[in-house]
Amino acid sequence: MNYIKIDLERHLGQIHPHIFGGFAEHLGRCLYGGIYQPGSPLADERGFRRDVLAALHRLQMTIMRYPGGNFVSGYHWRDGVGPVADRPARLELAWRTVEPNHFGTNEFIQFCRQLNVDPFIVVNCGDGDMREARDWVEYCNGTQNTTLANLRRQHGFAEPHQVKYWGIGNEIDGSWQIGYKTPEEYARAYLEFAKVMKWVDPSIKLIASAVSSWRAEYVERIQLLIEQAPDLIDYLALHWYVGNPENDFAQYMAVSELLEQRLSAIEGLIQAVRLQRGITRPIAIAVDEWNVWYRMQGTTREELHDLEEKYNLEDALVVAMHFNAFIRHARSVKMANIAQIVNVLAPIFTRPDDLFLQSIFHPFELYSRNCGRIALDAYWSGDTFSSGDYTALRTLDVAATLDDRARKLSVFVVNRSATQAQETTLKLDGGQFTGTGCAWIVNGPDLKAENSFTDPNRVGTTEASVTTRSTSANFTFEPHSVTALSFDL
Ligand code: AHR
């Protein structure tokens, strides 16, 4: 028997809607053949796949990161603006291919407007320089009579794009990156890039590339960055990918501990440096690349398979645990971008004439639809499991949110038992349930169940009702499931 207790007055922090972010890179079939397929009967007049847009709309994403990823460290934005026929095809070294540059800044902005998401552009801090970065800000956001703002107007965009979120470099701590930088080199480059970009448009928010290599010297890297550019960092970007290469379900489910450890460590580090240096400005965390990625790994194109990972039910549970962690760390995690959105490590998988929704689509939809604006400090106890060094891990992984305007409580629960349903009593403090609650359950026949073109609904969402009594409710969570409970208060 499990027990979840929620006190409506115990707030952990405000949840930023940007935790439901996406990421679209020039990589494999994410853009070309995913989002963008001009000439296809499925595409609109701009070349955007209507079916893909409709599926993305269901996810209610809020922000989109672009154009990379590793790609951006060799990308020069001028190649991707102006008449398509005049754009150069370039050798692309990050993924060893040829980039036609048919999709560029303006196509990206139009895509964001269509999806109603905030654009988030990462500048090239690999083989690009600060002049190119500041010029990109001016091209996008310039309002004066300057050559770059006029170039945008000449390209058909009279109004500024008003891109507010700008990342400086991608995974700059990794040897695989074009233009890898040591902590000292990056802190120095960041400061100079950030300075001129903000001078062009002081309203922009800047994201520093902090950690992707979790075994490298990230403590030193973050300390240097904050010390050298305390007034110019709005977010520190973290990246991670997780997986189940050993095919050990319990070990995979214990990934929640890794997420907690990493987020708590970075929160503590930011706090420590701010305290030591008397920095009063807040610095948030942006987990601007995260997902499951372990199957399509390697160094050659053949091994990588354009990163077209096929996801199963256990991956969907792991995606849900990410959202639980982001909610529990709502005070510091102000942005998170699933990597990526279509075909490449993605919840949506296309072929020229169709698409299907991968298992991980369903938890994303569940959370973005039901998440309130306030993270609540849920207490829970009950059945446990062990994995390796971890003992007494609670079988349920829980997060709770409050929508204070609509007076709605949402409780998100991942049942990490492969075989056991989990009977649970929910107790409420500081309010009362009114009427019957609703449950949306993501599940499938077994842990390895996947969706495909031939069987698109093996993993999906079902609905049930939840009986309530004043301040309590009972619910039995299905084995290997993700559930969102929603209650009117
Ligand atoms: O999302 C795929 C790749 O993963 C990105 O290009 C890179 O930033 C990360 O290593």
Side-chain angles (χ1 to χ4, degrees):
M1 188 69 179
N2 299 277
Y3 175 63
I4 301 175
K5 186 171 175 208
I6 292 168
D7 181 342
L8 295 172
E9 287 174 357
R10 284 183 67 97
H11 295 186
L12 288 172
Q14 287 278 332
I15 298 166
H16 200 290
H18 282 166
I19 66 167
F20 299 107
F23 167 42
E25 177 170 8
H26 286 250
L27 198 184
R29 297 190 306 125
C30 179
L31 300 178
Y32 306 114
I35 293 163
Y36 190 66
Q37 203 178 315
S40 158
L42 293 174
D44 66 14
E45 64 294 345
R46 291 163 171 173
F48 298 134
R49 283 268 299 252
R50 285 198 186 84
D51 55 341
V52 172
L53 284 170
L56 284 169
H57 267 295
R58 280 180 55 181
L59 294 180
Q60 299 190 0
M61 285 183 169
T62 48
I63 188 162
M64 192 65 65
R65 181 172 181 259
Y66 169 85
N70 296 340
F71 170 82
V72 77
S73 299
Y75 180 60
H76 298 280
W77 66 268
R78 283 184 174 82
D79 289 346
V81 296
V84 171
D86 298 343
R87 298 188 194 169
R90 300 271 188 209
L91 205 55
E92 200 290 289
L93 296 185
W95 302 105
R96 295 169 190 85
T97 173
V98 171
E99 170 55 48
N101 281 306
H102 293 168
F103 191 100
T105 306
N106 296 315
E107 287 77 17
F108 171 62
I109 297 294
Q110 288 176 310
F111 171 69
C112 290
R113 302 298 177 232
Q114 188 86 32
L115 257 191
N116 195 24
V117 298
D118 290 326
F120 162 16
I121 291 181
V122 182
V123 301
N124 179 348
C125 189
D127 71 5
D129 61 21
M130 61 176 166
R131 179 68 204 218
E132 184 183 24
R134 90 171 223 211
D135 284 353
W136 203 357
V137 177
E138 188 181 336
Y139 176 84
C140 288
N141 294 358
T143 53
Q144 302 184 66
N145 184 17
T146 65
T147 303
L148 282 168
N150 288 335
L151 185 64
R152 185 198 66 238
R153 294 182 184 110
Q154 193 188 316
H155 291 159
F157 299 88
E159 296 306 319
H161 291 326
Q162 293 181 321
V163 178
K164 188 165 172 194
Y165 300 92
W166 292 84
I168 299 180
N170 174 72
E171 297 192 352
I172 218 76
D173 61 341
S175 56
W176 58 88
Q177 204 64 214
I178 299 171
Y180 158 83
K181 289 180 176 50
T182 64
E184 292 77 9
E185 286 166 348
Y186 181 60
R188 182 93 195 94
Y190 181 89
L191 174 64
E192 297 306 321
F193 272 60
K195 220 164 67 181
V196 292
M197 288 168 74
K198 282 248 195 196
W199 283 347
V200 172
D201 181 352
S203 73
I204 62 176
K205 300 271 180 210
L206 294 175
I207 296 102
S209 167
V211 195
S212 65
S213 207
W214 288 88
R215 296 204 182 278
E217 64 304 81
Y218 66 82
V219 173
E220 181 191 357
R221 190 171 280 274
I222 287 178
Q223 183 175 354
L224 270 173
L225 262 171
I226 303 181
E227 283 175 355
Q228 296 205 12
D231 300 327
L232 293 167
I233 302 173
D234 296 295
Y235 301 80
L236 286 177
L238 313 180
H239 289 185
W240 63 65
Y241 293 92
V242 299
N244 187 12
E246 288 168 35
N247 196 18
D248 178 336
F249 180 66
Q251 189 183 50
Y252 198 22
M253 292 301 104
V255 78
S256 54
E257 302 313 291
L258 182 77
L259 309 184
E260 287 299 321
Q261 285 164 1
R262 286 182 174 173
L263 290 175
S264 307
I266 303 298
E267 280 167 352
L269 194 48
I270 295 173
Q271 282 308 91
V273 183
R274 284 176 71 229
L275 198 60
Q276 189 186 40
R277 300 280 155 171
I279 299 165
T280 49
R281 277 180 89 246
I283 296 176
I285 292 174
V287 187
D288 66 4
E289 278 189 38
W290 67 269
N291 204 346
V292 172
W293 176 18
Y294 68 102
R295 300 168 178 97
M296 304 305 176
Q297 289 277 9
T299 45
T300 64
R301 287 206 67 198
E302 290 68 36
E303 287 166 333
L304 286 165
H305 289 282
D306 283 341
L307 284 59
E308 295 200 353
E309 194 98 352
K310 295 279 170 35
Y311 292 112
N312 60 26
L313 178 61
E314 61 185 19
D315 301 325
L317 307 192
V318 166
V319 163
M321 281 191 266
H322 276 79
F323 285 119
N324 281 353
F326 298 152
I327 291 169
R328 293 192 294 252
H329 289 265
R331 198 174 291 173
S332 56
V333 178
K334 298 296 179 188
M335 190 196 298
N337 305 69
I338 193 167
Q340 301 190 8
I341 55 171
V342 187
N343 294 327
V344 175
L345 308 173
I348 298 164
F349 198 92
T350 68
R351 65 183 184 200
D353 62 341
D354 201 2
L355 64 74
F356 73 87
L357 307 177
Q358 296 233 49
S359 63
I360 62 168
F361 180 96
H362 298 286
F364 198 114
E365 184 183 41
L366 201 72
Y367 279 78
S368 65
R369 285 199 171 176
N370 291 292
C371 188
R373 290 297 284 266
I374 296 170
L376 295 172
D377 189 8
Y379 164 83
W380 76 103
S381 61
D383 282 8
T384 60
F385 70 103
S386 302
S387 166
D389 290 342
Y390 297 118
T391 53
L393 293 178
R394 289 166 291 183
T395 302
L396 301 183
D397 186 66
V398 178
T401 71
L402 175 68
D403 181 337
D404 50 343
R405 273 174 249 150
R407 299 301 298 159
K408 261 188 190 303
L409 168 70
S410 294
V411 184
F412 299 100
V413 179
V414 183
N415 179 0
R416 299 185 278 189
S417 169
T419 50
Q420 304 294 310
Q422 298 291 328
E423 277 181 50
T424 305
T425 297
L426 183 69
K427 275 272 181 204
L428 191 64
D429 243 11
Q432 292 197 349
F433 295 121
T434 59
T436 308
C438 236
W440 286 275
I441 305 140
V442 175
N443 209 343
D446 58 76
L447 297 174
K448 303 294 180 190
E450 306 178 351
N451 294 340
S452 63
F453 284 108
T454 47
D455 207 348
N457 299 313
R458 292 195 82 214
V459 178
T461 307
T462 54
E463 218 178 309
S465 59
V466 192
T467 313
T468 62
R469 273 177 318 308
S470 171
T471 58
S472 74
N474 289 306
F475 194 78
T476 300
F477 297 100
E478 297 175 8
H480 52 65
S481 65
V482 183
T483 303
L485 301 175
S486 167
F487 301 98
D488 288 326
L489 299 171

